[in-house]
Structure formats: C-alpha cells, structure tokens
Amino acid sequence: LALCRGRVVRVPKGPLIRVVGTEVVIPCSVSDYDGPSEQNFDWEFSRETDFMRIVSTWDSTFTSEEYQKRVGHGDIKLRRSSNDAVELVIRNIQPTDQGRYKCSTPSTDATVQGNYDAEVQVKVISDGLLVSGSKARSSMSLRLSEGDSFKLRCSAITTSPEHTHLHVTWQIKSGLTWRDILSLTHEGKFQPGPGYEERYRNGDIRLDTGANDTYQLSVSQASSVDGGAYRCLVSEWVRGADSSWQKIQEKSVEIAAVAIQQTDVVISTSNVSVTERDSLDLTCNITTDRSGIFQAEVIWYFSASPDDTLSDAQVLLSMDPDSVVSDSTLISLSHVDRNSYRLLVRDVDVEDSGYYFCQAAVWVPLHNGSWHKVVERTSAPVNVVVTALEPDYEVFLNASQTPKFSDDPTELNCRITNVQDTEANIRFTVSWYYRQRLPSDDVVTEELLATMDADWTLLLGDRSRKRTQNGEIIFSKKAVDTFSLRIQWTSESDRGDYFCVISAWTRHRNNSWVKSKDVTSASVSIFWATQDYTLTVEAVRLKPFFVAGHTFEMTCKVSSKNIKTPRYSVLITAEKPLTDQSNPNGTTRIISLNQDSVVRLEDWTDQTRVDGVVLEKVQENEFRYRMYQTQISDAGLYRCVVTAWSPGGGGMWREAVNGLSNPIQIDFQTSGPVFNVSVHSDNPTIYQGELADLLCIVTTEGMALEPDDMSFDVSWFAVRSFALDREPVLLASLDRRGIVTQSRRNGSSDLSLERISPLEFRLRVHGCEDHDFGNHYCVVTPWVRSATGVWQREPDIKAKPIFLSVKMDVLNAFKYPLLIGIGLATIIGLLSCLIGYCSSRWCCKKEVQETRRERRRLMSMEMD
C-alpha cells in the first residue's frame, strides 16, 4: 500500500448542471502530497479539445487573453478555502461557459506519483423557473384581528429540460430578517420552521398544493407574532452524478403584508384602598376592533401575590359566553356594556386585601352555528388594600409582687384599659417579653417569654419553656381584661425589664381570626441590690495534746453573710505526708455531712476502723469531728470544707458559696524503730518454665522490738516495662493476719507468697512465661504494738524494684518436638515396610502355568 501512495487531485463528479445567469462554484482539493503545506492550483477550460487557461493561484500571467476581462472584473475568481483546497467561482454563467474544467497542481513532490490534475463537466441549462404571487400587480395588505384566520397563495412552475424538483418555503419578515414558517422540500416532505413546530402539529399552520402549480399557506388563530411581510421562496434542485441533491437556483416573491390588531383586557381602576365593611367596585374592559358578532367569557381571580399563576389564584366569579354568572352571596358580576364587565364585592374584610385580575376570552360564530374561541387575554393585577377598623384601647403593666432576695416570687399584671369602639367579634391576647439590663448603652434585643394566639393557645419562648414546664413560671388570665405573669422563684438571671403586648383579633366572615392591632405597655424593672456571699470557717482542736491510740476531736464553726436562710454541708479532709504510699496525691476525703444532715464515708478504707470516725452537727453553724484510736499513719493536716446552700425553686437547694477552714495538725512524736525494705533475688535472669524466687527483706534501725510486737502487710507489684513508665500491676498481697490474696492472671504461670522469717517474705513465680518479665517490688506496711497493747500502723514503705528477665531455653524448647518427630518417622517407616511385604507376599502373587511337554528322546536321523 505504501508503494501505491501518491498525490491525489479531486473535483466533484460531473456533470454539474447549472442554470444560466447563476453563480457556479467548483471546488478542487489535493491530498497525499510532499513539500509545503500550501499548494497552488491552475484552472483551465475546454469546449472541445484544446484547453484555455483561466486563472492561477501563483501566476498572475497565467490567464488567457479571452478570460482576462472577466477575471479582472471579478466575474471569475479563485477563493482559497484551505491550504490544500480552492474554489473556482464563476458569476453569471452563460451557455458559452459549458464544457470541461480542469484543475491542476504544480508538483512539489520528490518523485512523481499519483495524479496532478482532474476534470469535471459543467452543463449550462436555460432558466425555466417562474414564481408569481396573486394576480395583483403588487403584494396585498391584510388587516386582521387577533384570532382570525387567513390564506396566502403563490405559483411556482419550471420548464427546465433536466429533471428538477422544486423546494417551496413560506417566510415572514417582522424585523430585519426573514424567518421560515413552513416548507415543502424537494423530497416531498413538510418541514416547519423554528418556533412553528407545535402550531404545525396542531393544524394551525398548513401548506396545501392546488391546481395550476399553486402553493397555499393557511394560518389559523392568528396572533401578534403573525404580523409582518410574507414571501414565497422557491428553489430548484437536481440530483447529481453522485446521487446527492444540488440546488441550482432560487427565486422569491413577496405576497402580502399582514397586520394583527391585538385584543387587550384591562381593569379600569388602578390600585384601590377601601375601608373594612365598604364595597369594592372593579370593571374589566375588553379592547378590540371587531365589528362583527362576538361574545366574551370573563373570569375574575384573586391572589395574595402578583406573581402567582392562574393555577395558584382563587376564582371569584365567572361569566360564560351566554352571560350565565356563577353563584355567590357577597360578590356579583354584571355585563355593563358591550366590552365592560363589573365586579362588586360587598362588605369587604381585611382578608380581601390582595391582587385582583380578570381573564377574558373572545368567541366568534362559525358557519355551522357553533362558537369558536379566537383569543384569550389576562389583565394586569390591581392591588386592593382593605383598611381595618382598629379598636381603641390602652395597656397598663404593674408589679403586684417584687423580689427582695433571690428565690422570692415575682408577679406582673398586664391590664387593658379605656376600651372604645370594640365589637362583639374582637378578642384580646397577650405576649410577654423580657429585656436584659446592661450598665452600658448597648442595644439589647428583647426575648419572647410566651405569647397567645387567637384561640388562647399558649406558645412558649426558648427562655421560659423549661421553667414553665417545671411550674417555676405561670402564665394566666385573671380576668377578661387582665393577664398575669408569675415567677415562683426569681433568680438573678431574671433581673431586667419586662413588658407586655396586647393584640386585638377581629373575626372575619369565614369565622377566622385576624390580628388587627398591637399595643405595647411600658416596661417594668425587676431588680434588687445584691452583695457578695461571704463564708467564714474556723477549725478548733478541743484537746491540745494526745498520743497514738487516743481520740482526736475538733470542731468547725461557720458564719455567713448575705445568704438567705442558709444550710451547710461539711467535708473533712486530711493532707498526709508525701511519703504515704496509700495516697500519693496528698489529700484524702474522709467523711461528709450534707445540708440534710446525711453522713457519708468518703475515702475512708480502713475496714478495721469503719466506726472510727464520726461527724455530727452540734448547732446550726457548728460541727464536730471525732477520730477514735488514732494511729501514727493518721498524722497530717485536717480541714473542714464547708458549702453554704440557699433554698432554690421547687424545694431544691442551690449552692451559694464554699469555704475552707484553717488546718489542724496531728503529729506523733515517737522513738520507735525505723523500718527499711529491699528486694533480693539470687537469679534475676531465668528461662521459661523455671521457678523465680524474689525476697522482700525488712530491716529495722533504732529501738529493738520483739517479733510478736511487729506485724507487716506485704504487697507485691510488677511494672511490665524497662523504664517504669507503665502502671504497676498487683500480683499478690499478705496481710498481717497471714491471709494471702492473689490477683487474676491471664497466663499459665502461678504465684505463691509466704513468710519465711519474721522479717522476710518470699514471692515465687512457678513456670515463668515471657509476660512475667519486668520490674518487681514490694510495699510493706508495718504495724507496731504499743505499750498499751494497741496496734499502730506505720507509714507504707516501698522497696527499690528489681528487674526480672525471662529467656527462652532453645534446647528444652526443641527437645520434645525432635524426639516425637524421630519416633513418628521410625513408626511410619516400619509400617511402610510391613505393608510392602504383605502386598508382595499375598496381594501381588501371580501363578504361572507352563505347557506340559512330553519327555521323549530324540531319534537319530538314520532311524527317521
């Protein structure tokens, strides 16, 4: 295929049939060439054998003498459409231009391949197309009314020697350009123009053919867009050698100028303002130039918005073409004259305010006696405002109860006074508002507390909804002219300005209520001077000196100011030394007594001394704390934390202020022994499955004690990390009575904790696993028996941790799997040998039967 590739010059397939006097365009293109992208072209013409040069794109001297005049005048020219294509244009072609036209391209290729010229035959025929309009010498003028029908005719005939087809198009010109209405194509198809598709489908626009080669345009239901100049455009088409249709000429003739008189519908009155209970009078006028018989159908509409469509509007009254009016009690529609229709609304109400418009349709009689609607129009809306008859009244707001302190009640009364010009169909409702008071001049928007609608349904605002549902705020109507707002327990957030709005509602004809007037009262300020709450707490130790084992006693005296009928809740706290391991935070909550005198143990965890602390109320502002059988571990600073409460809404108590007393110190001066604790292990690195021994050793310094006078609580902890950055985990504990407690474990290893000497405690981890590694330490709580026989608890002592490392024993880990593997392999081998022997002995045995041979001696050949 690459070897056959070469330059290709193309012209249309001939012959090209053209009409004398028209313009001829012959395209020529070249492809598959080498060299520059822009190619040059030469055109030549021949009537018989010799070619005459016409025009060239690159040589101005190329034109023959015979064509120089026509080329110079522009009657013959070349028009380049692209780098590789041109068009030969011949204006006003004549019969002498009939012949062969050749298009040539000078070579720019490296090698000569393909064709460098192409020819096309042009045939010139005479003009046989005749287009004409009506018999009148000029186009006619038509003046029609909107909705009328009209018909236009034109005649088109051709006497061409060739087999040609006509394409007829009716066009309208309402501005500067012609627009297609309807066409009968050269292929015999009807084609409506843009915007006329629906009217063509409805049959309002038709194109009919008649005798004497006439083409008639019929237009029904004429509208304003149908006004303008009409012409008949006819083009002649012929089928070319390549079976495609080619337009060879086109002619047109103007037929008529059509003017459409529009029908307008207007309301004679512009925007209207009437007073409630008066009558509303509107007139709908139809403007038309029809002189014949017609009837009108009128419909009056009402809408709340001028932008509503007819489907959204409300139909008031209608009159059909026979002047039959739909029934209505308060609205009437009458036919005043030929083109006017009057709407009368009696006893108008406020709800009649809105937009009114009318729709009119014109009907004309047909030849068969029926009526036909020719046009329909809708007027512009007229705004009607009905002014309500407002009642006259005043509003007065006063406070019947004002608070002096927080939680006092507040009651406001909103009263209607000087009521005048009210009727039986007037109803009053109230709305309550709150406005916060600010020391500056900042503008504060009011907040809605509650409002009543026309049926006295109470609607709550966000500010008061929850408190009203809880019964803290009450809205009521005390009398016909009095509304009340009561706050049962007024808080500081309720201080501010209050005002009420009385709304008057008027009942309309449909028994609906519409708000007609609002009157706002003057504001009432709810405010009382407040002072900061003060609370003073003093702690006093009743016994100035005591020793361990005795009872500690202190009292808390409370005084307060600016608190209404206060009650107090008391909490006793102890600040232990930071060396106390039982409470690393330093502060312990011991016991509390609330404002209702209910006692509760807080963080007191000594089960042996559950009843060892007592907190009681001595007087209304005095409380006493006792701690029996004090121990050395009880040393620290003791305080009273007091909270003052004042009565709140709904019988609840509200926290007012907190106070903290001075500290009371408990300090024991002892000369007893000093205890030290350490952890020891002979082998801190072990293998999995082995036994780990950890010793907790207690040593004493100072005064020596008998073993029976000492007892210890021992707890073992582990931190599963190298850097002690995790929470310790309790492993096991041994109290001074010898009871062992173990925590739950997830692994298979086990623990044992025992006392092996008076001052040594051993923790054993049996069958260690890898998760048993980490830092291990013990916490010891010493107990010392005093001379009086009372056991005293000493502060907790924590030992320095020791790291336990668990390794894997590779030999023991693989010993049993190897032995099991060797044993299984031996058994499988022996079993395989046994199966093979049995198979060859019994299952695969084959008996071979040999042919019986006779035992005879060979005879000698001589004997044979």
Side-chain angles (χ1 to χ4, degrees):
L1 292 176
L3 294 176
C4 298
R5 182 174 178 272
R7 178 186 292 259
V8 178
V9 178
R10 293 183 179 89
V11 294
K13 190 175 182 180
L16 301 179
I17 301 175
R18 296 296 183 265
V19 178
V20 63
T22 61
E23 183 180 85
V24 178
V25 179
I26 307 174
C28 178
S29 63
V30 62
S31 61
D32 300 333
Y33 57 86
D34 296 333
S37 60
E38 184 176 276
Q39 294 289 300
N40 289 311
F41 296 87
D42 297 335
W43 281 91
E44 297 177 278
F45 170 71
S46 173
R47 293 189 182 91
E48 295 180 356
T49 57
D50 297 333
F51 280 91
M52 294 178 290
R53 293 175 297 178
I54 304 176
V55 67
S56 173
T57 59
W58 62 285
D59 187 2
S60 59
T61 62
F62 179 79
T63 306
S64 299
E65 183 179 356
E66 184 178 351
Y67 287 97
Q68 288 181 357
K69 184 176 180 181
R70 297 178 66 184
V71 172
H73 291 164
D75 294 337
I76 299 177
K77 62 181 179 179
L78 282 182
R79 185 167 55 201
R80 182 179 290 274
S81 55
S82 64
N83 287 338
D84 55 1
V86 297
E87 293 176 343
L88 176 63
V89 181
I90 304 175
R91 296 179 180 174
N92 192 17
I93 193 170
Q94 298 300 319
T96 55
D97 295 325
Q98 179 173 300
R100 290 180 295 127
Y101 289 83
K102 181 171 67 174
C103 176
S104 305
T105 59
S107 175
T108 58
D109 304 328
T111 59
V112 178
Q113 290 182 352
N115 68 309
Y116 288 81
D117 57 61
E119 296 182 9
V120 61
Q121 179 73 28
V122 176
K123 184 178 181 181
V124 181
I125 62 176
S126 60
D127 183 6
L129 177 62
L130 179 60
V131 179
S132 61
S134 61
K135 296 181 180 180
R137 289 176 294 178
S138 60
S139 61
M140 60 180 178
S141 297
L142 297 178
R143 185 175 181 84
L144 306 173
S145 298
E146 195 171 9
D148 290 347
S149 301
F150 64 92
K151 297 179 181 180
L152 302 176
R153 295 183 182 85
C154 77
S155 175
I157 187 172
T158 180
T159 58
S160 174
E162 299 292 330
H163 182 65
T164 60
H165 289 209
L166 297 183
H167 183 122
V168 180
T169 301
W170 280 95
Q171 294 181 323
I172 182 174
K173 181 180 181 182
S174 56
L176 300 177
T177 60
W178 291 94
R179 294 181 291 111
D180 293 347
I181 300 176
L182 185 60
S183 301
L184 176 60
T185 67
H186 52 277
E187 296 178 325
K189 300 178 181 179
F190 289 99
Q191 180 178 348
Y196 289 89
E197 295 86 352
E198 185 176 357
R199 297 181 66 183
Y200 172 74
R201 288 191 296 268
N202 296 336
D204 292 338
I205 296 178
R206 300 193 317 274
L207 178 57
D208 302 320
T209 59
N212 300 324
D213 300 314
T214 59
Y215 298 88
Q216 178 177 277
L217 174 67
S218 300
V219 179
S220 302
Q221 297 290 327
S223 62
S224 59
V225 297
D226 295 325
Y230 286 76
R231 76 174 181 178
C232 180
L233 179 66
V234 180
S235 57
E236 192 173 7
W237 295 70
V238 65
R239 190 183 293 274
D242 56 354
S243 298
S244 65
W245 287 98
Q246 302 174 7
K247 183 169 66 173
I248 58 177
Q249 71 167 326
E250 184 178 79
K251 293 182 180 181
S252 65
V253 60
E254 292 194 13
I255 304 300
V258 178
I260 305 297
Q261 178 67 30
Q262 294 188 14
T263 300
D264 293 332
V265 176
V266 295
I267 299 179
S268 59
T269 306
S270 58
N271 295 342
V272 180
S273 178
V274 295
T275 306
E276 190 177 12
R277 310 305 180 193
D278 288 346
S279 297
L280 173 64
D281 190 352
L282 300 175
T283 302
C284 180
N285 295 322
I286 302 175
T287 303
T288 180
D289 60 346
R290 294 181 179 274
S291 58
I293 300 175
F294 71 91
Q295 293 181 354
E297 177 185 9
V298 178
I299 304 176
W300 278 92
Y301 290 91
F302 170 78
S303 173
S305 171
D307 300 327
D308 287 349
T309 60
L310 290 179
S311 58
D312 298 329
Q314 174 188 353
V315 177
L316 297 178
L317 274 182
S318 62
M319 177 183 291
D320 63 10
D322 296 329
S323 297
V324 177
V325 181
S326 57
D327 187 22
S328 180
T329 304
L330 298 176
I331 307 176
S332 62
L333 178 59
S334 59
H335 192 177
V336 180
D337 54 29
R338 176 180 171 87
N339 296 332
S340 299
Y341 297 83
R342 178 189 180 193
L343 175 70
L344 182 63
V345 182
R346 304 179 185 87
D347 193 19
V348 294
D349 210 337
V350 176
E351 63 182 6
D352 295 325
S353 297
Y355 295 87
Y356 292 75
F357 53 94
C358 65
Q359 183 187 60
V362 176
W363 296 74
V364 297
L366 299 179
H367 299 290
N368 57 5
S370 62
W371 290 84
H372 172 64
K373 182 167 66 173
V374 295
V375 67
E376 187 176 65
R377 284 288 182 271
T378 303
S379 69
V382 172
N383 185 17
V384 175
V385 178
V386 179
T387 304
L389 296 175
E390 294 183 353
D392 187 12
Y393 59 94
E394 296 178 0
V395 178
F396 175 73
L397 176 65
N398 70 313
S400 58
Q401 280 186 297
T402 56
K404 300 295 188 296
F405 297 95
S406 293
D407 301 321
D408 284 352
T410 300
E411 185 169 355
L412 303 175
N413 294 321
C414 185
R415 193 182 309 275
I416 306 172
T417 61
N418 299 329
V419 180
Q420 299 177 4
D421 298 332
T422 58
E423 302 176 5
N425 54 358
I426 297 294
R427 179 178 293 180
F428 294 101
T429 62
V430 67
S431 299
W432 291 96
Y433 291 89
Y434 164 80
R435 185 187 300 115
Q436 184 181 5
R437 295 183 63 182
L438 295 178
S440 61
D441 295 334
D442 296 341
V443 178
V444 180
T445 58
E446 55 269 5
E447 297 182 61
L448 176 67
L449 299 178
T451 184
M452 291 181 181
D453 57 13
D455 56 357
W456 291 307
T457 301
L458 185 64
L459 304 176
L460 300 175
D462 295 336
R463 180 180 178 85
S464 63
R465 178 176 290 109
K466 186 176 180 179
R467 296 177 66 186
T468 304
Q469 293 171 352
N470 295 335
E472 299 180 24
I473 300 179
I474 300 174
F475 300 95
S476 61
K477 183 177 182 180
K478 287 186 173 182
V480 177
D481 58 350
T482 305
F483 298 90
S484 173
L485 163 63
R486 180 179 178 84
I487 303 177
Q488 299 283 70
W489 302 280
T490 310
S491 63
E492 294 183 5
S493 61
D494 295 326
R495 295 187 300 180
D497 295 333
Y498 292 79
F499 63 94
C500 62
V501 177
I502 298 296
S503 302
W505 298 75
T506 305
R507 183 164 57 187
H508 286 185
R509 292 190 302 263
N510 57 359
N511 292 325
S512 64
W513 293 90
V514 177
K515 185 186 296 186
S516 58
K517 188 177 182 180
D518 285 334
V519 177
T520 304
S521 70
S523 61
V524 171
S525 177
I526 300 298
F527 184 80
W528 65 93
T530 59
Q531 298 179 358
D532 294 336
Y533 297 142
T534 58
L535 182 66
T536 304
V537 184
E538 181 184 5
V540 179
R541 181 166 55 187
L542 299 182
K543 294 181 179 181
F545 178 78
F546 66 96
V547 296
H550 289 187
T551 300
F552 169 73
E553 185 175 355
M554 74 174 186
T555 61
C556 300
K557 295 184 178 180
V558 185
S559 62
S560 62
K561 293 182 180 180
N562 304 323
I563 304 177
K564 180 183 178 182
T565 60
R567 285 191 182 182
Y568 306 103
S569 61
V570 181
L571 171 66
I572 305 299
T573 63
E575 298 179 9
K576 298 297 186 64
L578 296 178
T579 56
D580 188 357
Q581 300 295 328
S582 63
N583 187 17
N585 295 327
T587 302
T588 303
R589 298 159 55 93
I590 299 177
I591 192 172
S592 64
L593 183 144
N594 66 7
Q595 66 271 20
D596 295 324
S597 300
V598 177
V599 179
R600 174 184 174 185
L601 286 175
E602 298 292 339
D603 298 333
W604 185 262
T605 58
D606 192 346
Q607 299 298 324
T608 61
R609 301 163 63 200
V610 174
D611 298 329
V613 291
V614 176
L615 180 60
E616 58 185 352
K617 184 176 181 180
V618 180
Q619 296 180 10
E620 192 65 33
N621 61 342
E622 184 177 353
F623 303 86
R624 182 167 56 205
Y625 169 67
R626 287 193 181 99
M627 182 168 54
Y628 300 100
Q629 294 183 356
T630 56
Q631 300 178 4
I632 297 177
S633 59
D634 295 328
L637 297 177
Y638 287 75
R639 300 176 186 268
C640 299
V641 180
V642 180
T643 302
W645 302 79
S646 62
M652 304 298 291
W653 290 95
R654 181 171 57 87
E655 181 178 342
V657 66
N658 295 317
L660 183 65
S661 72
N662 56 297
I664 301 296
Q665 184 175 10
I666 298 180
D667 189 13
F668 299 96
Q669 301 295 332
T670 62
S671 58
V674 177
F675 296 93
N676 297 314
V677 181
S678 62
V679 177
H680 174 72
S681 177
D682 294 335
N683 188 14
T685 302
I686 57 175
Y687 292 93
Q688 290 185 358
E690 291 184 352
L691 175 66
D693 281 345
L694 301 175
L695 295 178
C696 183
I697 302 172
V698 182
T699 59
T700 61
E701 298 177 2
M703 185 181 65
L705 296 176
E706 293 295 331
D708 293 340
D709 294 335
M710 294 183 299
S711 183
F712 303 95
D713 292 338
V714 181
S715 299
W716 280 92
F717 295 89
V719 180
R720 307 301 186 190
S721 67
F722 295 95
L724 296 174
D725 55 352
R726 294 185 181 179
E727 291 293 329
V729 179
L730 176 65
L731 301 178
S733 63
L734 174 67
D735 63 9
R736 59 194 178 98
R737 297 179 182 83
I739 300 175
V740 178
T741 304
Q742 292 189 12
S743 62
R744 298 183 61 182
R745 298 175 58 80
N746 297 327
S748 59
S749 61
D750 198 3
L751 297 174
S752 64
L753 178 58
E754 58 185 341
R755 179 178 180 180
I756 59 177
S757 70
L759 298 178
E760 292 184 353
F761 302 87
R762 179 170 60 192
L763 174 69
R764 284 186 171 182
V765 183
H766 304 272
C768 288
E769 297 180 356
D770 54 353
H771 64 264
D772 291 321
F773 86 101
N775 290 281
H776 293 68
Y777 64 91
C778 64
V779 176
V780 177
T781 305
W783 291 79
V784 179
R785 184 161 54 186
S786 64
T788 60
V790 178
W791 287 94
Q792 298 292 328
R793 179 178 176 177
E794 299 290 333
D796 294 342
I797 307 172
K798 177 181 176 182
K800 184 178 180 180
I802 185 173
F803 188 79
L804 180 63
S805 178
V806 181
K807 296 183 178 180
M808 179 184 291
D809 190 352
V810 180
L811 179 61
N812 291 333
F814 288 97
K815 178 172 64 177
Y816 292 104
L818 288 175
L819 293 176
I820 294 173
I822 293 173
L824 291 177
T826 303
I827 293 173
I828 293 173
L830 293 176
L831 184 61
S832 301
C833 294
L834 179 61
I835 293 174
Y837 174 77
C838 294
S839 299
S840 62
R841 186 71 178 84
W842 287 287
C843 300
C844 301
K845 184 177 179 181
K846 183 177 181 182
E847 297 182 359
V848 180
Q849 297 182 358
E850 297 181 355
T851 305
R852 184 177 180 181
R853 299 178 181 178
E854 297 182 356
R855 296 181 177 275
R856 295 181 181 180
R857 295 182 178 180
L858 296 176
M859 294 185 297
S860 61
M861 296 183 65
E862 292 84 358
M863 294 178 63
D864 192 14

